[in-house]
Amino acid sequence: MRDVFVIGAGMTKFGELWEKSIKDIFVEAGLKAIEDAGVGYIDSLYVGAMSSGLFVGQEHLGAVMADYLGVNPVPATRVESACASGGVSFRQAYLEVASGASDIVLAGGVEKMTDGADVTDALATAADQEYEVYHGVTFPGLYAMIAKAHMHQYGTTRQQLAAVAVKNHRNGAKNPNAQFRFEVTLEQVLNSTRVADPLGLLDCSPVSDGGAAVILVSAEVARNLKKPLIRVIASSQASDTIALHSRPSFTTIGSVVKAAEKAYKMAGIKPTDVNLCEVHDCFTIAEIVVSEDLGFFEKGKGGEAVEKGLTALEGGKMPINTSGGLKSKGHPVGATGIAQIIEVYEQLSGKAGARQVKNARIGMAQNMGGSGASCVIHILEVK
Amino acid sequence: MITARYHREVPQRFRLEANKCVSCGHINFPPRLVCPKCKGQKFDNVVLKDEGKLLTYTILRVAADRFSKETPIAVGIVELEDGVKITTQIADVDVDTLQIGQKVKLVLRKIQEDGKAGILCYGYKAVVI
């Protein structure tokens, strides 16, 4: 396998982009990435999208986007792994370059969620349709059940859940591409409209439109273009049961534990070597559980860690979701995994502005689908 | 819901029919073709116990459109006495009194309606005992 480098990134602002179609959104992100990378062509492209069929009635997205991006006849493939679609899109591009089959590949992701679909229903298709969704369970409901179990088992508090949202909004307020560029108080989160007990509206990532794209290349291309060498030092993916109820524990996500194990091994590093991490905080409890499963904190101590500021951008020993996370930056499902990579890339390039983590050399992105039935992890390093 | 799709799940939703791996004894609900524990492909038919305990739960205050008139909805994961875990609504309960560990029993109830003119869809719900 060859070394693979990220040399360019582009994304749209995340939010309710009423004036833009799914094509406009993806093409905007793709063009920005190609321009940022300074490449004259791409060998192929991947589009991560969770449910364009339900959201906008459009499938065959690979072909749609290759056409509108003006790159026909390159191979173009849509990748779907629920909310991990973006991360898996990146992994497919990584594997294509690493294998030697291509030298320059665009990995993108997009979702257009505000065109009128029943979003709760569409998102629920990432769970077991016959044995979870049939009974009325929603995604907030699944994560709420994880939260209840975590609170019961480890004493995690409602305040600790809320502290995740407060921190992520504080970071997102500094991100020009974030959907919600404002801070929230602990009281606002605690008093927000109840969605699925114990989760309130401000514990949930929003419904968003957005697109993101990055360019992955071989070492030769990166050197010829005289780009900073930001290398993908790990790419891993794992699966778990589709239904939450089939798992031995509801307070740990098996696919995250397994993917993390593989990623650390591939990169040859320990959790303490990671300088910053973007985690899949689709709900506040998800960030707490994942921060434990990635090995940053002891099992059951993730809530305490965020409350003590250990994951804060300012002064935290392990800054998590410096971009604002899904919570504040927004969660256009298919774009999320790529946007996480972009945050890591910008941090490692020293281009994160007000969100810059000093001396960041190793960054991680953890993206998951459903209630954790899919997890994909990437680790990038400045060479 | 397409009638055929609904009909296929009736043995599970009405009668809790499952299968048990001949080689390792693992019970699958719904029945599977491959045992997730030992990869075995031979099974005996079994029927699940209808009592168990609540492992975790939530109260849905916001639901998908077809359930939106029924909120708040209590939903939980129940571990039945034979060790099988299922997701189910919890019916006939003051949602604020629910607790992890509570004993429940499965009963047959209407789960959803297929629009104004479609079929009524039934299945199990848990009640506290």
Side-chain angles (χ1 to χ4, degrees):
Chain A
M1 297 273 270
R2 302 193 294 175
D3 284 351
V4 179
F5 299 83
V6 178
I7 61 158
M11 66 184 280
T12 66
K13 188 176 174 1
F14 282 3
E16 294 173 335
L17 309 179
W18 304 112
E19 73 290 357
K20 289 177 183 162
S21 72
I22 188 168
K23 294 170 191 158
D24 299 334
I25 292 168
F26 186 84
V27 171
E28 179 185 328
L31 288 177
K32 281 182 181 169
I34 290 169
E35 191 191 335
D36 185 42
V39 291
Y41 66 95
I42 56 174
D43 292 321
S44 79
L45 75 86
Y46 290 90
V47 186
M50 179 199 160
S51 198
S52 56
L54 290 174
F55 287 127
V56 295
Q58 178 72 64
E59 305 287 18
H60 207 181
L61 275 195
V64 171
M65 297 314 175
D67 183 3
Y68 278 77
L69 192 58
V71 296
N72 283 150
V74 306
T77 310
R78 181 261 185 94
V79 175
E80 189 274 316
S81 192
C83 319
S85 299
V88 175
S89 161
F90 184 85
R91 180 168 156 80
Q92 293 307 309
Y94 164 80
L95 292 171
E96 187 167 324
V97 176
S99 73
S102 292
D103 289 323
I104 306 175
V105 179
L106 183 148
V110 67
E111 214 76 59
K112 175 74 193 173
M113 301 172 73
T114 61
D115 267 358
D118 178 353
V119 172
T120 304
D121 203 41
L123 292 174
T125 60
D128 187 322
Q129 198 58 229
E130 308 291 6
Y131 289 90
E132 291 183 307
V133 183
Y134 179 79
H135 297 280
V137 174
T138 58
F139 260 93
L142 289 168
Y143 278 93
M145 290 198 285
I146 293 174
K148 278 271 187 198
H150 205 274
M151 293 164 101
H152 183 74
Q153 189 170 345
Y154 298 114
T156 300
T157 66
R158 180 72 193 86
Q159 282 74 11
Q160 290 170 344
L161 298 178
V164 173
V166 172
K167 168 185 69 74
N168 289 354
H169 271 268
R170 198 186 305 133
N171 295 347
K174 300 188 176 94
N175 185 346
N177 288 321
Q179 180 164 1
F180 298 136
R181 291 195 66 189
F182 54 78
E183 300 197 10
V184 296
T185 64
L186 200 66
E187 289 66 35
Q188 282 174 308
V189 183
L190 294 175
N191 296 327
S192 62
T193 308
R194 289 188 292 179
V195 174
D197 302 1
L199 305 178
L201 188 63
L202 291 180
D203 288 278
C204 307
S205 56
V207 170
S208 321
D209 303 328
V214 293
I215 306 291
L216 294 88
V217 300
S218 62
E220 195 187 347
V221 174
R223 287 199 189 96
N224 286 347
L225 289 168
K226 300 193 176 11
K227 288 286 180 179
L229 293 178
I230 295 173
R231 187 162 74 95
V232 183
I233 58 170
S235 172
S236 71
Q237 190 179 344
S239 59
D240 200 351
T241 64
I242 187 71
L244 176 65
H245 61 233
S246 304
R247 301 181 196 157
S249 164
F250 308 136
T251 55
T252 181
I253 300 175
S255 65
V256 178
V257 173
K258 191 50 79 177
E261 220 171 77
K262 288 198 277 187
Y264 289 130
K265 192 175 170 197
M266 185 173 174
I269 63 166
K270 306 181 295 297
T272 47
D273 295 325
V274 178
N275 301 129
L276 69 123
C277 185
E278 288 288 297
V279 313
H280 195 92
D281 60 322
C282 46
F283 301 94
T284 50
I285 183 63
E287 178 168 317
I288 289 174
V289 172
V290 170
S291 69
E292 297 164 357
D293 289 344
L294 291 176
F296 298 142
F297 307 106
E298 196 184 316
K299 199 68 215 166
K301 301 283 189 196
E304 201 181 299
V306 64
E307 205 169 37
K308 283 183 174 166
L310 302 183
T311 56
L313 175 54
E314 299 88 2
K317 66 167 189 173
M318 181 62 235
I320 289 180
N321 285 330
T322 54
S323 68
L326 284 55
K327 176 68 206 78
S328 165
K329 184 181 53 189
H331 183 26
V333 185
T336 284
I338 300 290
Q340 291 179 318
I341 299 276
I342 292 178
E343 177 69 11
V344 171
Y345 170 74
E346 290 188 344
Q347 288 282 358
L348 300 185
S349 315
K351 295 187 209 163
R355 309 186 310 285
Q356 186 64 48
V357 173
K358 279 183 198 143
N359 304 318
R361 298 201 56 80
I362 296 180
M364 181 189 244
Q366 178 271 342
N367 185 202
M368 63 187 170
S371 57
S374 297
C375 177
V376 56
I377 292 178
H378 288 97
I379 305 176
L380 276 62
E381 181 182 27
V382 185
K383 216 175 180 183
Chain B
M1 176 150 319
I2 301 295
T3 310
R5 181 176 184 177
Y6 174 64
H7 186 261
R8 278 199 298 273
E9 307 299 326
V10 159
Q12 283 69 52
R13 291 186 181 142
F14 286 32
R15 301 189 292 275
L16 300 176
E17 290 182 15
N19 70 8
K20 184 174 185 174
C21 178
V22 169
S23 51
C24 79
H26 181 73
I27 301 175
N28 299 297
F29 181 80
R32 293 185 181 224
L33 300 174
V34 180
C35 175
K37 294 289 173 219
C38 75
K39 318 299 172 206
Q41 294 186 26
K42 284 187 181 159
F43 300 93
D44 291 326
N45 294 327
V46 293
V47 173
L48 299 182
K49 301 270 198 308
D50 62 0
E51 290 188 11
K53 66 175 182 194
L54 193 57
L55 296 183
T56 186
Y57 69 94
T58 182
I59 315 302
L60 302 176
R61 311 281 173 179
V62 178
D65 289 351
R66 67 180 179 281
F67 288 99
S68 61
K69 286 181 188 155
E70 294 170 39
T71 55
I73 303 170
V75 177
I77 296 178
V78 169
E79 182 174 27
L80 299 171
E81 283 170 359
D82 37 28
V84 169
K85 291 179 281 188
I86 58 166
T87 296
T88 176
Q89 288 188 27
I90 303 133
D92 304 342
V93 69
D94 173 356
V95 295
D96 295 323
T97 65
L98 275 175
Q99 282 180 4
I100 288 176
Q102 267 178 322
K103 297 269 189 250
V104 297
K105 181 180 173 66
L106 299 183
V107 292
L108 187 71
R109 292 292 169 89
K110 188 180 84 178
I111 306 293
Q112 49 177 287
E113 294 174 15
D114 185 16
K116 285 182 180 152
I119 58 173
L120 300 178
C121 302
Y122 292 84
Y124 46 80
K125 285 188 187 180
V127 292
V128 174
I129 50 175

